[in-house]
Amino acid sequence: MAEHPDPRSRPRRLPGQRQTRQRSTIYEVIRTAAGPLTVPEIHQRAQREVGGIGIATVYRTINLLQEEELVQAVILPSGETRYELAGLGHHHHFSCRSCDEVFDLPACPVEIPRNDVVEGGFVVESHELTLYGVCPACVETPAASG
Ligand SMILES: [Zn+2]
Ligand SMILES: [Zn+2]
C-alpha cells in the first residue's frame, strides 16, 4: 500500500488528440478532489474554471477518461456512482451523512489479510468498505447543515 505511487502527486499530460481546456479542467477537478465525486459535483467545480461547460460534455469527457483508464467509477452501497482517479491503490471511502460529501480514507481498518481463510473455509481475496459518519467540517459546524 505504502509503496504504491500516488497518481495525485503527478499531474500528467493526458494522452490523445486535443487537450482541450474543458478536458484538462475535468481531469484536474477529479485529481484534486478529497474523494470520489458525482457528475453534478464535477460539473459544478469545472464550471468555476471554465464557464459554460455543459453537463453533456462532462459525461462525455468522463467516459473518455474512463476508456483511457485515467479515471474509474466508484459505486457506493447506496447505488450512487462517483468518479475518482484510477490507480489510487487500496483505500476506503467515508460518507458524511451531514453534507453528503464522500472522502478518501487512507487507513484500512480490516484486519483480515489477503488470502486468509476465515470461518467456514472462505478464502478472502479482497474487500470493499464504506464508512459513514460526520466529516471534520461538519463536526465543527453542526448547525450549518440543518
Ligand atoms: Zn460533512
Ligand atoms: Zn481495506
Side-chain angles (χ1 to χ4, degrees):
M1 201 178 2
E3 79 280 1
H4 203 285
D6 186 355
R8 270 197 238 288
S9 62
R10 45 176 162 97
R12 54 196 287 188
R13 295 183 70 81
L14 298 171
Q17 336 75 343
R18 314 187 302 270
Q19 288 207 23
T20 66
R21 172 116 193 268
Q22 292 181 335
R23 181 189 157 96
S24 55
T25 299
I26 288 166
Y27 182 77
E28 283 303 297
V29 164
I30 295 170
R31 189 179 71 82
T32 56
L37 300 173
T38 62
V39 171
E41 284 171 346
I42 296 166
H43 183 219
Q44 197 180 37
R45 293 177 194 201
Q47 258 184 332
R48 281 185 220 143
E49 304 296 319
V50 187
I53 190 167
I55 189 108
T57 301
V58 175
Y59 274 106
R60 195 170 58 238
T61 304
I62 289 170
N63 282 340
L64 285 171
L65 292 170
Q66 273 188 284
E67 278 171 24
E68 288 162 19
E69 296 178 347
L70 294 170
V71 162
Q72 66 187 18
V74 173
I75 299 166
L76 295 187
S78 63
E80 183 179 62
T81 303
R82 290 173 172 263
Y83 296 91
E84 68 180 9
L85 278 199
L88 285 179
H90 187 79
H91 68 285
H92 294 290
H93 297 123
F94 184 98
S95 176
C96 177
R97 61 175 169 77
S98 180
C99 67
D100 290 330
E101 278 204 55
V102 177
F103 302 88
D104 288 339
L105 283 187
C108 177
V110 177
E111 288 177 1
I112 303 168
R114 221 176 123 81
N115 294 323
D116 201 21
V117 182
V118 298
E119 197 176 337
F122 298 97
V123 182
V124 179
E125 294 181 343
S126 67
H127 63 260
E128 283 181 24
L129 182 67
T130 303
L131 294 98
Y132 297 88
V134 185
C135 76
C138 291
V139 167
E140 277 179 24
T141 53
S145 54

